[in-house]
Amino acid sequence: MKILREQDLNKSNTLEGIKDLMLYKVMLFSCIIGVPVVLYNIYFSIESKLTVSGLINLLLFSPIIIVVFFYRKTPYKIRARVLIHSATLMALFNFYLAGYAGAAYIILLSVISFSAAFFNKKEAVIQIIICIIIAIVSAIFYITGTWQHIGDFELLITSPSSWIVSIALFSFLSFMFYAAYNIIQDKLTQKIVEEQKNNTILEESNNKLQELLVQQANHQNELLKAKLKAEESNNLKTEFLHNMSHEVRTPLNGIMGFSKLIQKEGLSDEKRKQFSDIIIHSSEKLQRVIDDILEISFLETKQISVSDKEFNVYDFLQDLYQVFLVDSKTEVDIEMTCKDKDLTIVSDLHKIHKILSNLIENALKFTDYGIVEFGCICAEKNKIRFFVKDTGIGISNENIDKIFSRFTQEHDNISTKYGGLGLGLCIAKENTQLLGGKIWVESEKGVGTTFYVEIPVKALA
């Protein structure tokens, strides 16, 4: 039975851990070997009519048995001392029974080995000295006749010279055992230190590898995001060019076509006026497309500054109402709401006009019947909130964030059916953010949509 195996060294990477494991195996081994020996001693004592001796031997051995049963609940140092001191007392008792002719020296050598293995060097040397003193005291008791030996070795045991030789031999073996165990322990310590160093290096390498793997995963995720973004940008560019071509060609064809028609001779004044109106309308539409592209370009390059001025909110909304009331060719009703006719604020009138104009145009475009309402619903200290409400096609919840992106509409069919570049809401949002405000929407598919714009103002009157 090996007390310590290679796999035990692998399991325990500290000297204390290995000592603890070795101590457990020694105590377990002692119980396996010692219990039959003790029982034999009891039998021998009974046969020799010395039952008290057998009971004492069992009593001296019992602490080791008890500690093995309660091993994990007992501190390491206490376990080691129980083993060593119990063995020392057993050796002393064996000296009393048989002198150095019995098992006393074997037990003491075991005590010295255990001391060298489980104690530090100072404690181990003290234990050797204690064992030598026990041998010397036993020798004195036998030589003086204080202890009586029973057996064939009585003359040998009572001889001073034989004790001197045995004690000298025992001392030599004791220090040889001590030196051998110290060498083994030093080698073991060196091996543990090397193992710990290797484990540290390996752990550091593993940590670096994990970091590299995490960095690689992050890099791959970034590349994937960049790829998806590039693909999305490419799709947006393609969609934008398609919409741009349609939005520019439609009014341009109207301008070019009716410009040629208006030059025909014999054209009535009524027809000439009708064609002129179409040319003007197409020109205005083309101009709005170009204005939107320039606006989004300026916003992207941060070339637009804020220019504040004081204005009356009611008059501003009334002017906006008249413009859309005249220009609207649909049967959708337009209403303006502003309860305070004297409300005056300081902000960028042009940008607020641009924001609300884009929202109202969108509302009218996507509302086939019903009403489009806009206005001011509340005015608090240092901020004002506008709204644009319609009864149009509505927006699904999953697409609400999407509609504020550039060149993006809720879905592809929208641009086919209603036209547009998908810039109106983006322009409204970026202008709102430029003013330090926020924009949000509440909508239900097929019921209608309400946009809210809240803008901080420098003064309210």
Side-chain angles (χ1 to χ4, degrees):
M1 176 181 175
K2 290 184 178 180
I3 291 179
L4 206 60
R5 297 170 296 178
E6 183 70 24
Q7 63 187 30
D8 296 329
L9 297 179
N10 296 331
K11 289 179 182 178
S12 303
N13 59 355
T14 62
L15 184 60
E16 286 297 320
I18 292 173
K19 282 184 176 183
D20 187 29
L21 182 63
M22 188 165 65
L23 175 61
Y24 172 73
K25 292 196 173 188
V26 166
M27 296 184 78
L28 188 62
F29 183 74
S30 299
C31 288
I32 294 171
I33 300 300
V35 170
V37 173
V38 170
L39 294 177
Y40 173 77
N41 284 337
I42 293 173
Y43 172 77
F44 175 77
S45 299
I46 292 172
E47 288 294 316
S48 302
K49 306 302 181 186
L50 294 172
T51 55
V52 175
S53 301
L55 292 174
I56 291 173
N57 221 341
L58 179 62
L59 183 64
L60 293 175
F61 193 78
S62 59
I64 299 175
I65 300 173
I66 293 170
V67 169
V68 168
F69 281 114
F70 300 97
Y71 186 79
R72 292 301 171 190
K73 296 181 180 180
T74 311
Y76 165 72
K77 289 293 184 182
I78 293 177
R79 296 196 298 264
R81 282 179 168 79
V82 166
L83 174 66
I84 291 167
H85 296 326
S86 295
T88 302
L89 291 174
M90 280 189 282
L92 179 59
F93 188 65
N94 273 272
F95 268 122
Y96 169 72
L97 291 178
Y100 67 81
Y105 274 152
I106 297 174
I107 298 174
L108 285 183
L109 287 174
S110 299
V111 167
I112 291 166
S113 300
F114 297 156
S115 300
F118 304 136
F119 290 161
N120 55 41
K121 294 181 179 179
K122 182 179 179 181
E123 287 181 291
V125 171
I126 291 172
Q127 197 66 38
I128 291 174
I129 294 171
I130 290 172
C131 291
I132 293 173
I133 291 172
I134 289 173
I136 292 172
V137 170
S138 300
I140 293 171
F141 285 164
Y142 269 105
I143 293 170
T144 59
T146 305
W147 286 350
Q148 296 296 322
H149 180 262
I150 300 172
D152 298 332
F153 297 95
E154 184 175 1
L155 293 175
L156 189 64
I157 294 299
T158 57
S159 171
S161 60
S162 65
W163 274 104
I164 292 171
V165 173
S166 68
I167 291 172
L169 181 61
F170 169 74
S171 300
F172 173 75
L173 291 174
S174 297
F175 282 102
M176 285 293 292
F177 272 46
Y178 168 76
Y181 268 92
N182 272 289
I183 292 171
I184 292 171
Q185 184 164 294
D186 290 340
K187 294 290 184 181
L188 185 61
T189 304
Q190 184 180 356
K191 179 177 176 60
I192 291 170
V193 170
E194 290 176 357
E195 287 292 332
Q196 288 177 333
K197 186 177 179 181
N198 292 336
N199 289 338
T200 301
I201 295 172
L202 182 61
E203 186 176 353
E204 289 176 356
S205 300
N206 286 336
N207 291 336
K208 289 180 180 178
L209 180 60
Q210 289 295 329
E211 289 176 4
L212 289 174
L213 291 174
V214 170
Q215 290 176 3
Q216 184 180 8
N218 291 336
H219 185 58
Q220 287 177 343
N221 289 334
E222 289 174 2
L223 288 176
L224 183 60
K225 289 178 182 177
K227 178 186 176 184
L228 294 175
K229 190 173 182 180
E231 290 175 351
E232 183 181 359
S233 299
N234 188 53
N235 293 335
L236 286 174
K237 181 184 73 173
T238 303
E239 186 68 22
F240 166 70
L241 291 175
H242 174 75
N243 292 343
M244 181 71 176
S245 176
H246 177 266
E247 291 297 316
V248 172
R249 281 179 178 275
T250 300
L252 193 59
N253 287 338
I255 294 170
M256 293 175 63
F258 285 98
S259 295
K260 293 178 181 179
L261 290 175
I262 206 171
Q263 293 177 350
K264 286 187 176 181
E265 297 181 359
L267 198 65
S268 64
D269 292 340
E270 184 180 354
K271 283 287 184 182
R272 194 178 302 277
K273 184 179 183 306
Q274 181 184 356
F275 293 164
S276 297
D277 290 341
I278 294 173
I279 292 171
I280 293 170
H281 177 72
S282 298
S283 300
E284 290 174 346
K285 186 176 180 181
L286 182 59
Q287 184 179 9
R288 281 198 299 273
V289 171
I290 295 171
D291 286 345
D292 283 348
I293 294 172
L294 291 174
E295 178 83 10
I296 204 69
S297 176
F298 289 145
L299 286 168
E300 185 175 13
T301 55
K302 311 296 183 184
Q303 295 181 12
I304 297 180
S305 59
V306 177
S307 179
D308 293 332
K309 63 179 291 186
E310 184 176 320
F311 63 93
N312 181 277
V313 175
Y314 180 84
D315 293 341
F316 158 68
L317 293 175
Q318 188 66 33
D319 292 342
L320 200 61
Y321 171 72
Q322 293 298 330
V323 169
F324 280 99
L325 186 65
V326 171
D327 289 347
S328 178
K329 299 295 189 292
T330 66
E331 296 180 359
V332 178
D333 293 332
I334 302 176
E335 292 185 7
M336 187 273 290
T337 301
C338 184
K339 296 179 180 180
D340 189 354
K341 294 185 178 182
D342 298 323
L343 178 61
T344 302
I345 64 172
V346 176
S347 189
D348 192 319
L349 176 62
H350 174 73
K351 288 181 175 52
I352 295 176
H353 184 280
K354 175 72 72 173
I355 294 165
L356 293 180
S357 293
N358 277 295
L359 294 177
I360 295 169
E361 284 178 5
N362 256 27
L364 290 170
K365 182 195 297 185
F366 299 119
T367 303
D368 297 325
Y369 59 88
I371 185 172
V372 170
E373 183 181 0
F374 68 94
C376 168
I377 56 174
C378 67
E380 300 177 7
K381 186 178 181 181
N382 299 328
K383 64 182 178 181
I384 189 169
R385 185 181 299 174
F386 297 99
F387 76 96
V388 177
K389 182 178 181 180
D390 64 60
T391 57
I393 60 176
I395 308 164
S396 58
N397 290 332
E398 60 269 18
N399 291 323
I400 283 180
D401 293 332
K402 177 182 176 182
I403 61 173
F404 288 105
S405 300
R406 297 177 184 181
F407 312 117
T408 305
Q409 294 175 323
E410 185 180 10
H411 51 78
D412 297 339
N413 296 334
I414 293 288
S415 61
T416 304
K417 183 176 180 180
Y418 294 97
L421 291 174
L423 291 176
L425 293 178
C426 178
I427 292 172
K429 179 182 178 181
E430 296 204 17
N431 274 293
T432 301
Q433 292 176 342
L434 192 63
L435 294 175
K438 61 180 180 179
I439 183 171
W440 70 96
V441 58
E442 296 175 357
S443 183
E444 185 177 348
K445 195 69 176 175
V447 176
T449 304
T450 303
F451 284 90
Y452 296 96
V453 178
E454 190 172 81
I455 297 173
V457 293
K458 294 183 178 178
L460 289 174

